[in-house]
Amino acid sequence: MNPTPDTIPAPADADSAGPQVISLTDTVVEIVSDAGEGVQKAGVSFATVSAKMGNGIWTVEIIPADIQPPSRDPAGASGIRIRLGTHDISNMGDKIDLIVAFNEQSLLGRLDVANFDPNCRILLENKWREHPDPGIQKGYIEVVDRLIEEGYQIYEVPLEELCAEHVGNPRLGKNMYVLGMLCWMYSRDMDLARQQITEIFRHKSQKIIDNNIVLLDAGYEWAASNLDFRFDIPAIKTDVDRVVMNGNQAIALGVMASGMEMCAMYPITPATSASHFLAEAFESVGGMVHQAEDEIAACAVAIGASYAGKCAVTITSGPGMSLKTELMGLATMAEIPLVMVNVQRGGPSTGLPTKVEQGDLLASIFSTHGDAPKVVMAVATIEDCFYSILTARKIAETFRIPVIVLSDANLATDQQPFPRPEFSSEWLAPPIDQRPVQEGTMPYDWDERTGLSRRIIPGQPGGTFTVTGLAHTRDGKVAYAPDVNQHSMERRSRKLAALQQTLKAPEVTGEPEGDLLIVGWGSTKGAIDEAVANLQKEGLAVSSVHLRFLQPMASGIGGILRGFKRVMTVEINYADEVDGDLINEDNERYSNLAWLLRARYLIDIRSWATVYGTPLRPSDIAGRARKELESLEVEA
Amino acid sequence: MFGLTEAATVDYSQEQYQLEDYQSGNPRWCTGCGDNAILTSVQRLCRDEQIPPEKAVFVSRIGCSSRFPHYMGTYGFHSLHGRALPIAQGVKLRRPDLKVFVNMGDGDCCSIGTAPFVQENALLVDRQWQRTLRVCSVLTLEAKNVKLLACYVPEDLMWLFRQPIMKAPNRAELLPSFH
């Protein structure tokens, strides 16, 4: 350890007034390291403790694309971002206020891509200053000097040395030590922190739990006697009992709560953790997770189980969905209920496996050859992840149709608290009529108006028939006659219209008329809402609307869009930007939602669509909205 | 009856499932096609085992042999090329009370359906294949250039494999290749 007076705070003196206490209502904390140093565990624990104390939280995992990237590499930075607030938090926020880094290269990786508040406090492991490799020493000192020059407040901490006082392998213990430090800095409840450690290491030995608690306490003590600042970030006390989880866990719990009994899957980032969660708990409620030999078979197993009367879900990501498309068409044609969750990642092809994108909307609606009506829903919050699955199953069974639920990599790993769901019998789909089938009943006895028909499942006496993916008549017999195909296609299509009649129009956030309407779908809701609220505070006539049903879309959306001088979608997918040169209005390719809205409502919808692979920042959305408002003024 | 009076005999025939209970429609296969023989023998097998028609599900993929379930008086699922096995797996996993049968051809075994076929066989090898081999009743039948091998597996998953005789001259050579 080589303390320099500039960067190491003096130990708190018993006679001094104690640490400076800074009041906050909203702040962003990050912990970054090389991959495999456990900072995500520390960050998630910090967030969970905060949520249990009543604070609003939002976490974002910072994941390198490689499983084991080279150490001390800016591109390999692994970590977690926690936004913490007095009120509910709905997105990752803008600027980092405090960051803990296990090495200066990971820190550099964040400096390259994230916004740092000019007064950002940086706590940095300083073992590199004494590293035997002069190159590493030099690199470390250069970065520290640069950061000091740029005005950041650097606190060099001998993390590894401090941990070595308590455990044999300090490199593995630093995360919990940092958790202890954060708990002191943000005045967290240590009993909750200890409980959290017991929870996350529940599959490990008591010795490991004890060691981690020792580190947690030591980190807390060290911060208390060495740091000269502390934050006060009060929680608003509510009586509402809340749970905290990430989107994939919420999906898994939704699957269990919906009464579905089969999850057939094949592992794929970033969807796998939902199935892993289910694998741990599903059997206790009579369910089953089946890992098939591939994505296609997973979908086929789900269809088989659904056909046999047990509604099934298959959870995947974009590449998996591409593989499953043919079977989705089969489910549409044979009218077998199927719930499919697509936790979207960057595409096309294998694309950006760990990064967020909303590029699968059009693929979800239009994939599969021929006309294959499917229901497409998008979740906007962690809470939605839970409830949307309940809705999806009911729709799938009532309408005998595949339902695709779109989540994304942002929601998959982010944590957010929401009110503890209270079981209601409405959650469950009605039981399937299992009485013997009357003679003359047909497997596709379509209602002429709605296309709905009774679902008969194997095992019911008198109902023996064969379902098929070929064109068929009401009685399930293969038939290629022109009028048979036309008629049955109409009936299958009308089911979407019948569902559409039951949908509520989305609510507009802000005035129902104005200059600019921002339309979003999926995980961008929180960031859009915050940006719009800030713009409205400035007196700008901006509103937003968020769509949850993308196929079919509720009545009333056209009226909402027409209430504004300009409509802009905000999405994380690709769109061309008209540049006046090669890209013009004749060849411009629109973003996913803009395509849909333009086609249906004949409105010149603009869009702001990016594929940086990161969740959107409210400030960026607001900036783009201002630009749109300016161009509106120019045109006027 | 040998050694019994007439009063001791009971006619059960009216209370049993008949061959007609397993028949549905008129197969549209070419005259002499081995599929006709397979269908008849499977229908007989169902009758001999007295499987309630509503408790049996026949899963097939596509192609003319895969019209099979349409001609059975049971439940059926006429699905996609190469995907009959995983669909049947889904049915069986969640509804063990049903008798699940798959009929498939060389495309499902060795071409588009190879992956599920290998996977399913791996499961069978793991769990029950050895036992199955000992107790299964194997019925072979030759018609034209097709050899039918129907393994009746006690765990009621039934496999029908059609192989051209040229490739599989006898059962002994055919069976080990499933491992």
Side-chain angles (χ1 to χ4, degrees):
Chain A
M1 190 173 155
N2 182 11
T4 47
D6 287 349
T7 56
I8 290 287
D13 193 341
D15 298 333
S16 74
Q20 173 198 7
V21 178
I22 303 157
S23 285
L24 296 173
T25 55
D26 188 349
T27 191
V28 175
V29 186
E30 285 196 4
I31 318 173
V32 292
S33 68
D34 286 339
E37 294 193 293
V39 296
Q40 279 153 2
K41 211 167 244 173
V44 167
S45 302
F46 178 65
T48 307
V49 168
S50 299
K52 284 183 177 168
M53 291 175 68
N55 287 103
I57 59 150
W58 185 270
T59 65
V60 185
E61 284 186 5
I62 302 157
I63 311 170
D66 302 317
I67 290 167
Q68 190 56 272
S71 60
R72 293 178 44 78
D73 183 69
S78 170
I80 185 152
R81 176 186 181 104
I82 309 114
R83 185 174 173 203
L84 187 61
T86 296
H87 300 277
D88 283 346
I89 300 288
S90 63
N91 64 82
M92 70 165 193
D94 287 312
K95 290 177 178 160
I96 305 170
D97 299 304
L98 184 137
I99 184 164
V100 183
F102 285 15
N103 69 66
E104 82 290 350
Q105 297 300 322
S106 301
L107 184 61
L108 275 186
R110 295 304 291 159
L111 268 174
D112 291 343
V113 296
N115 279 352
F116 279 52
D117 188 272
N119 297 317
C120 179
R121 288 180 164 80
I122 299 172
L123 281 81
L124 184 59
E125 158 72 85
N126 73 353
K127 70 168 182 178
W128 314 105
R129 195 179 271 285
E130 304 261 289
H131 199 275
D133 181 342
I136 289 178
Q137 266 193 32
K138 188 163 163 277
Y140 176 82
I141 292 167
E142 272 174 16
V143 171
V144 171
D145 289 348
R146 177 186 145 191
L147 292 169
I148 292 170
E149 202 170 298
E150 290 176 14
Y152 297 114
Q153 303 178 53
I154 311 280
Y155 297 82
E156 287 185 272
V157 185
L159 274 178
E160 203 153 305
E161 201 179 303
L162 290 166
C163 291
E165 294 169 14
H166 306 282
V167 286
N169 185 351
R171 190 168 177 267
L172 293 180
K174 284 198 280 191
N175 58 344
M176 289 300 139
Y177 198 86
V178 167
L179 176 61
M181 289 163 58
L182 290 172
C183 284
W184 182 81
M185 283 186 258
Y186 292 86
S187 319
R188 302 291 90 178
D189 184 332
M190 283 297 278
D191 284 337
L192 285 177
R194 290 186 199 103
Q195 273 172 27
Q196 182 63 19
I197 287 181
T198 312
E199 167 67 18
I200 56 177
F201 293 108
R202 65 189 181 281
H203 297 307
K204 308 272 183 183
S205 67
Q206 187 60 39
K207 186 164 173 278
I208 289 179
I209 294 174
D210 293 343
N211 276 350
N212 280 290
I213 290 178
V214 165
L215 286 163
L216 173 86
D217 290 336
Y220 188 92
E221 291 303 324
W222 183 88
S225 44
N226 288 281
L227 293 179
D228 59 355
F229 63 92
R230 201 173 185 190
F231 304 107
D232 177 34
I233 183 154
I236 290 181
K237 289 283 170 215
T238 69
D239 295 334
V240 181
D241 186 14
R242 302 203 297 179
V243 288
V244 56
M245 66 185 76
N246 68 33
N248 277 359
Q249 289 168 339
I251 284 170
L253 286 169
V255 168
M256 289 196 279
S258 74
M260 282 192 278
E261 291 183 25
M262 160 73 93
C263 168
M265 50 75 70
Y266 187 77
I268 185 167
T269 303
T272 315
S273 64
S275 311
H276 280 179
F277 187 91
L278 272 178
E280 233 183 280
F282 207 11
E283 275 188 29
S284 62
V285 294
M288 173 188 278
V289 176
H290 175 72
Q291 180 171 327
E293 64 269 22
D294 59 33
E295 293 279 3
I296 304 173
C299 197
V301 169
I303 287 175
S306 268
Y307 161 71
K310 306 286 185 182
C311 190
V313 63
T314 177
I315 304 175
T316 187
S317 185
M321 200 187 77
S322 296
L323 286 164
K324 292 176 202 287
T325 45
E326 192 190 13
L327 277 150
M328 278 195 293
L330 173 69
T332 298
M333 192 67 163
E335 302 193 46
I336 292 166
L338 174 69
V339 177
M340 186 168 147
V341 180
N342 176 0
V343 185
Q344 299 167 95
R345 63 191 224 182
S349 189
T350 35
L352 298 169
T354 59
K355 310 278 186 188
V356 62
E357 195 177 298
Q358 303 177 305
D360 300 351
L361 174 56
L362 293 175
S364 300
I365 295 175
F366 298 116
S367 63
T368 306
H369 51 279
D371 180 61
K374 300 181 276 290
V375 176
V376 180
M377 302 160 61
V379 293
T381 62
I382 307 295
E383 191 174 13
D384 272 5
C385 291
F386 179 81
Y387 289 104
S388 66
I389 305 290
L390 309 178
T391 313
R393 185 209 165 172
K394 281 182 115 169
I395 294 173
E397 296 217 298
T398 310
F399 293 84
R400 301 179 70 183
I401 200 167
V403 180
I404 299 174
V405 179
L406 294 174
S407 177
D408 65 38
N410 186 15
L411 291 169
T413 54
D414 293 354
Q415 293 221 318
Q416 204 187 15
F418 63 89
R420 179 181 291 277
E422 285 297 329
F423 176 78
S424 142
S425 56
E426 283 179 15
W427 287 7
L428 303 173
I432 302 168
D433 182 356
Q434 299 258 359
R435 290 172 301 171
V437 179
Q438 296 292 315
E439 209 181 320
T441 305
M442 290 181 284
Y444 302 107
D445 198 5
W446 299 300
D447 177 67
E448 280 299 309
R449 181 164 177 271
T450 60
L452 296 175
S453 55
R454 180 182 165 191
R455 178 177 171 211
I456 298 164
I457 60 168
Q460 280 182 267
T464 53
F465 63 84
T466 295
V467 297
T468 175
L470 287 171
H472 50 262
T473 53
R474 284 169 178 273
D475 55 6
K477 298 286 179 214
V478 178
Y480 303 139
D483 54 340
V484 168
N485 197 44
Q486 179 73 27
H487 183 261
S488 56
M489 289 285 252
E490 281 167 11
R491 300 285 90 64
R492 283 189 295 272
S493 179
R494 292 179 81 90
K495 292 194 290 186
L496 278 190
L499 169 64
Q500 194 268 351
Q501 295 281 342
T502 69
L503 300 182
K504 279 191 263 184
E507 280 177 28
V508 179
T509 308
E511 296 297 321
E513 287 177 354
D515 292 334
L516 177 66
L517 177 73
I518 296 179
V519 191
W521 65 279
S523 69
T524 51
K525 183 175 192 299
I528 292 174
D529 282 352
E530 190 169 321
V532 168
N534 291 339
L535 292 166
Q536 285 168 351
K537 273 184 215 151
E538 294 171 24
L540 298 169
V542 180
S543 299
S544 67
V545 67
H546 213 76
L547 305 184
R548 283 186 163 84
F549 275 90
L550 282 316
Q551 173 80 337
M553 283 196 201
S555 297
I557 293 174
I560 294 171
L561 303 182
R562 291 191 184 88
F564 292 82
K565 289 183 191 152
R566 179 153 297 170
V567 181
M568 175 176 83
T569 71
V570 169
E571 301 173 70
I572 310 177
N573 53 42
Y574 185 76
D576 282 337
E577 189 106 7
V578 175
D579 59 5
D581 175 29
L582 184 67
I583 308 295
N584 56 43
E585 286 181 355
D586 293 336
N587 60 22
E588 174 190 3
R589 294 171 68 238
Y590 308 116
S591 62
N592 278 221
L593 183 59
W595 271 116
L596 290 179
L597 296 179
R598 281 172 163 264
R600 181 165 300 282
Y601 302 109
L602 306 179
I603 294 173
D604 182 19
I605 308 276
R606 307 291 178 92
S607 65
W608 182 53
T610 54
V611 284
Y612 295 112
T614 53
L616 300 180
R617 282 191 283 258
S619 60
D620 293 342
I621 298 172
R624 180 56 195 235
R626 282 194 199 91
K627 217 170 126 189
E628 209 63 39
L629 287 167
E630 280 163 22
S631 78
L632 200 60
E633 270 175 36
V634 172
E635 282 174 28
Chain B
M1 271 293 178
F2 179 77
L4 294 178
T5 66
E6 258 184 44
T9 60
V10 179
D11 184 7
Y12 286 109
S13 62
Q14 292 311 306
E15 292 166 34
Q16 289 176 336
Y17 290 114
Q18 305 297 314
L19 205 52
E20 299 79 55
D21 293 318
Y22 302 98
Q23 291 170 344
S24 170
N26 294 317
R28 288 196 196 175
W29 289 318
C30 304
T31 311
C33 173
D35 289 338
N36 290 297
I38 294 168
L39 178 67
T40 310
S41 49
V42 170
Q43 285 165 341
R44 281 184 192 154
L45 182 75
C46 289
R47 181 204 53 196
D48 294 351
E49 294 291 331
Q50 285 294 297
I51 298 168
E54 71 270 14
K55 288 287 184 188
V57 179
F58 279 80
V59 186
S60 69
R61 35 108 217 183
I62 57 159
C64 83
S65 65
S66 291
R67 295 287 182 97
F68 195 99
H70 288 283
Y71 308 135
M72 292 295 298
T74 63
Y75 280 92
F77 195 152
H78 180 192
S79 72
L80 294 182
H81 29 228
R83 309 300 159 203
L85 275 176
I87 287 175
Q89 215 175 351
V91 176
K92 188 68 189 174
L93 279 171
R94 289 282 63 187
R95 287 291 301 277
D97 59 307
L98 298 173
K99 309 281 180 192
V100 183
F101 299 78
V102 176
N103 85 295
M104 51 193 249
D106 45 359
D108 279 294
C109 294
C110 308
S111 186
I112 191 167
T114 310
F117 182 59
V118 170
Q119 182 85 358
E120 282 284 340
N121 277 330
L123 287 174
L124 280 176
V125 170
D126 282 354
R127 292 181 192 161
Q128 49 192 228
W129 188 242
Q130 294 304 323
R131 192 155 58 94
T132 300
L133 267 185
R134 278 201 305 276
V135 296
C136 71
S137 64
V138 177
L139 140 99
T140 57
L141 181 142
E142 282 181 33
K144 282 186 111 183
N145 65 340
V146 171
K147 182 170 219 170
L148 163 75
L149 174 72
C151 291
Y152 180 62
V153 181
E155 284 75 10
D156 65 44
L157 191 68
M158 179 172 185
W159 306 68
L160 296 176
F161 306 118
R162 286 195 314 159
Q163 292 286 332
I165 285 177
M166 296 296 286
K167 289 183 189 165
N170 62 51
R171 200 181 88 212
E173 281 185 30
L174 195 57
L175 276 178
S177 67
F178 293 153
H179 282 258

